[in-house]
């Protein structure tokens, strides 16, 4: 039994009076956090975020922080959008829950399906809803395998993915992902999921990319798929899954040669192409979908996050006509579904979110204004003494840190240079994420030019401080 009295709704007023320290103690005692070393966290004390407005959040100490990661790449319309709040409230009053099983639907679920068909490439006319990106990727595996069963090729079970990909955290989604640390815990990947290398020129600079231009390397990296297919036997390979731009892996923008070659290889072997657009969907890259930015045509497309700007959980799979037709016309019952598939409140919020995206012209704004402006403002950092390269695509960008840019010598891993930089960011009021020694941003799509200036100024300041700390420590 805890010594602390249980919290009830009536205590909310009292809770707002709690000190940061009290929150930290309660948190350390009871909350297990995602992707967290709990001993290290307890020693430091958790950061408590209490409110948000526009592109900013505030912590329990009253510090204003520019959220250059949109929460977890999701709060695309920014915090505090009244239209989304009103949609949720109204739907909660009208019908807080009903399911889409057993030959029923709710108006928000069907209306959102209709709307998604209008904002996705024309061959996407059907959607399957889930509660998250991970669940949607589980659905992809089930859909791909069901499709090949119905096509009379049940041996086409293998799904090819990439190292350092992130596709979620369930057993199946983590297997699809290519994160070695995740695979090491829990006996992953599950059978029939295999991985090829990523189109990450910098990471391969001393290996497969040595002596190659980015574009030459893009072809090499795409042909790893062809080699893998040849090794397994094309008759056993069902699908290839990838993010248009690897997000959690470090905002790895592929060379321009990569995606056309991947499309050619999938077409040649009849393999389903799955585009995981959980981060890149809904305007992040300057088009509605990353596959449009990179010019390929997926059969299945995963979405989540930006569909509701993270206000409530929702995910799903856009099912292209090739798969949908077979599933509908020949499939009978598809033995798959989630309690929250098509949750009416989530769907109502998504509809309001799409309204905001369209009314504010956010996709076009990222493509024509804020995306190019971010690239332009980041470009001078290329000359910073600890910056090796900068990549960006729409409103997602990476700054690759490096000990000595002229020789491309990396910082020693044990110095955790990314985490050092991340701490300097936080201290000066900026959320920027560290992926190893790569610093990444993906701000809300509503960010203004003035706020981009503010963000880049804080990034430069954090880089200067990181540089000073590294030199002082002799790293
Ligand atoms: N796919 C990609 C590309 C993602 O970035 C993420 C989450 N970061 C997921 C899937 C998993 O989504 P969720 O956390 O909603 O399960």
């Amino acid at each position: 039994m805890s010594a602390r009295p249980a919290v009830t709704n009536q205590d909310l007023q009292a809770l707002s009076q709690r000190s940061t320290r009290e929150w930290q103690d309660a948190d350390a005692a009871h909350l297990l956090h995602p992707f967290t070393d709990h001993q290290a966290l307890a020693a430091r004390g958790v950061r408590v975020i209490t409110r948000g407005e526009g592109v900013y959040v505030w912590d329990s100490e009253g510090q204003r922080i520019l959220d250059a990661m949109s929460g977890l790449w999701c709060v695309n319309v920014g915090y505090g959008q009244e239209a989304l709040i009103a949609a949720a409230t109204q739907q909660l009053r009208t019908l807080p829950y009903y399911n889409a099983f057993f030959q029923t639907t709710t108006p928000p679920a069907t209306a959102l399906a209709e709307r998604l068909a209008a904002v996705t490439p024309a061959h996407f006319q059907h959607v399957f809803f889930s509660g998250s990106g991970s669940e949607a990727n589980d659905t992809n595996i089930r859909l791909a395998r069901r499709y090949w069963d119905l096509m009379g090729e049940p041996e086409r079970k293998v799904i090819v993915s990439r190292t350092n990909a992130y596709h979620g955290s369930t057993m199946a989604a983590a297997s699809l992902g290519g994160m070695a640390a995740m695979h090491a815990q829990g006996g992953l990947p599950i059978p029939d999921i295999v991985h090829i290398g990523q189109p990450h020129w910098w990471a391969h600079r001393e290996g497969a990319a040595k002596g190659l231009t980015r574009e030459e390397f893009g072809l090499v990296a795409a042909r790893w798929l062809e080699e893998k297919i040849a090794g397994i036997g094309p008759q056993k390979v069902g699908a290839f899954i990838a993010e248009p731009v690897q997000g959690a892996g470090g905002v790895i923008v592929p060379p321009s040669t990569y995606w056309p070659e991947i499309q050619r290889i999938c077409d040649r072997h009849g393999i389903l192409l799955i585009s995981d657009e959980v981060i890149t969907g809904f305007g992040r890259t300057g088009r509605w979908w990353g596959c449009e930015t990179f010019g390929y045509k997926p059969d299945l497309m995963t979405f989540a996050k930006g569909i509701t700007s993270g206000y409530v959980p929702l995910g799903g799979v856009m099912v292209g006509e090739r798969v949908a037709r077979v599933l509908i016309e020949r499939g009978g019952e598809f033995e798959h579904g989630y309690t929250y598939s098509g949750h009416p409140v989530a769907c109502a919020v998504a509809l309001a979110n799409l309204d905001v995206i369209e009314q504010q012209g956010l996709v076009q704004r990222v493509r024509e204004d804020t995306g190019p402006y971010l690239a332009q403002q980041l470009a001078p950092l290329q000359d910073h003494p600890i910056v090796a390269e900068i990549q960006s695509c729409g409103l997602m960008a990476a700054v690759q840190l490096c000990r000595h840019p002229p020789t491309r010598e990396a910082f020693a891993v044990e110095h955790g240079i990314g985490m050092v930089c991340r701490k300097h960011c936080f201290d000066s009021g900026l959320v920027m994420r560290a992926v190893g020694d790569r610093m990444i941003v993906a701000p809300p799509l509503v960010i203004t030019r003035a706020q981009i200036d503010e963000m880049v100024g804080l990034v430069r300041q954090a880089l200067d401080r990181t540089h000073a700390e590294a030199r002082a420590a002799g790293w």
Side-chain angles (χ1 to χ4, degrees):
M1 277 282 282
S2 160
R4 209 182 315 276
V7 171
T8 68
N9 260 347
Q10 287 76 26
D11 294 331
L12 278 179
Q13 191 57 35
L15 282 179
S16 68
Q17 308 301 319
R18 262 190 180 175
S19 68
T20 301
R21 191 55 214 239
E22 285 169 318
W23 280 120
Q24 289 172 336
D25 289 348
D27 190 83
H30 300 293
L31 183 57
L32 292 174
H33 292 259
F35 288 98
T36 295
D37 172 341
H38 286 88
Q39 277 192 348
L41 178 64
R44 271 193 48 195
V46 73
R47 181 185 301 273
V48 187
I49 302 296
T50 53
R51 70 186 181 91
E53 199 182 309
V55 300
Y56 300 100
V57 291
W58 280 260
D59 70 14
S60 53
E61 294 292 291
Q63 190 192 2
R64 189 184 82 159
I65 304 167
L66 196 162
D67 183 9
M69 281 309 297
S70 310
L72 267 183
W73 325 80
C74 49
V75 188
N76 290 358
V77 298
Y79 298 90
Q81 284 281 357
E82 281 304 326
L84 277 66
I85 299 163
T89 312
Q90 192 183 330
Q91 188 58 40
L92 281 164
R93 285 211 183 88
T94 313
L95 182 70
Y97 177 78
Y98 203 77
N99 60 67
F101 287 49
F102 313 129
Q103 307 187 358
T104 58
T105 191
T106 60
T110 299
L112 181 60
E114 227 176 333
R115 185 86 176 262
L116 284 169
V119 298
T120 49
H123 67 291
F124 287 117
Q125 290 299 313
H126 293 88
V127 62
F128 192 99
F129 287 121
S130 66
S132 68
S134 301
E135 287 177 2
N137 279 326
D138 279 36
T139 299
N140 275 324
I141 299 178
R142 305 226 40 214
L143 280 168
R145 294 194 174 157
R146 181 73 185 135
Y147 169 79
W148 287 116
D149 281 350
L150 291 165
M151 293 296 288
E153 297 188 62
E155 66 283 6
R156 280 212 193 230
K157 288 212 167 23
V158 176
I159 299 178
V160 184
S161 180
R162 306 185 296 184
T163 50
N164 206 30
Y166 189 80
H167 296 297
S169 250
T170 56
M171 292 290 280
S175 296
L176 287 177
M179 301 286 178
M182 292 177 79
H183 289 178
Q185 297 178 2
L188 302 178
I190 58 173
D192 291 326
I193 292 176
V194 299
H195 298 83
I196 59 170
Q198 53 180 338
H200 188 352
W201 186 87
W202 175 258
H204 289 284
R205 68 193 182 285
E206 298 302 335
K210 200 170 181 148
L212 300 183
T213 64
R214 277 166 208 276
E215 278 59 41
E216 286 165 348
F217 171 65
L219 289 178
V220 169
R223 287 176 192 154
W224 289 333
L225 175 60
E226 193 136 55
E227 287 161 24
K228 184 63 97 179
I229 294 168
I232 298 166
Q235 75 287 355
K236 291 192 184 152
V237 181
F240 173 67
I241 182 168
E243 306 151 76
V245 175
Q246 276 170 287
V251 182
I252 318 297
V253 184
S256 61
T257 47
Y258 183 75
W259 274 111
E261 185 67 0
I262 289 285
Q263 177 83 66
R264 181 192 68 75
I265 295 166
C266 288
D267 288 349
R268 171 153 183 239
H269 299 286
I271 289 166
L272 295 174
L273 177 52
I274 309 174
S275 192
D276 184 340
E277 304 259 2
V278 166
I279 287 175
T280 48
F282 304 100
R284 171 68 55 199
T285 69
R287 307 241 169 223
W288 274 91
W289 303 94
C291 61
E292 294 171 327
T293 296
F294 291 94
Y296 61 95
K297 188 179 170 198
D299 298 293
L300 299 165
M301 199 161 75
T302 321
F303 64 84
K305 298 187 190 278
I307 176 110
T308 57
S309 287
Y311 280 43
V312 286
L314 181 65
V317 177
M318 293 306 300
V319 183
E321 282 309 275
R322 172 180 173 191
V323 175
R325 213 170 351 95
V326 172
L327 196 74
I328 293 165
E329 290 171 11
R330 301 197 226 157
E333 182 165 329
F334 181 39
E335 307 283 341
H336 179 73
Y338 307 107
T339 298
Y340 301 127
S341 288
H343 192 289
V345 178
C347 292
V349 171
L351 286 164
N353 181 57
L354 292 176
D355 287 345
V356 172
I357 293 173
E358 282 176 358
Q359 283 158 12
Q360 297 195 12
L362 291 181
V363 182
Q364 188 183 359
R365 186 160 133 194
V366 172
R367 182 171 64 250
E368 293 173 4
D369 182 24
T370 45
Y373 188 70
L374 173 64
Q376 182 193 317
Q377 297 309 100
L378 284 174
L381 292 179
Q382 184 73 61
D383 298 329
H384 193 277
I386 57 166
V387 173
E389 68 163 8
I390 293 169
Q391 285 201 301
S392 74
C393 178
L395 280 183
M396 59 200 299
V399 177
Q400 176 70 53
L401 304 183
C402 166
R403 183 174 183 279
H404 189 239
T407 57
R408 298 183 186 156
E409 183 198 347
F411 281 102
V413 175
E414 65 265 25
H415 299 318
I417 197 74
M419 293 310 276
V420 171
C421 185
R422 182 174 171 270
K423 186 181 171 307
H424 287 302
C425 290
F426 256 125
D427 290 349
S428 54
L430 174 73
V431 179
M432 194 179 189
R433 185 154 153 185
V435 182
D437 50 8
R438 220 168 151 85
M439 302 305 297
I440 60 180
V441 289
L445 307 189
V446 291
I447 195 167
T448 62
R449 281 183 172 227
Q451 288 165 337
I452 290 175
D453 291 344
E454 183 189 349
M455 179 177 84
V456 174
L458 291 171
V459 172
R460 178 178 282 283
Q461 183 180 312
L463 289 171
D464 289 345
R465 290 179 179 171
T466 306
H467 180 216
E469 187 172 337
R471 291 298 178 260
W475 294 345

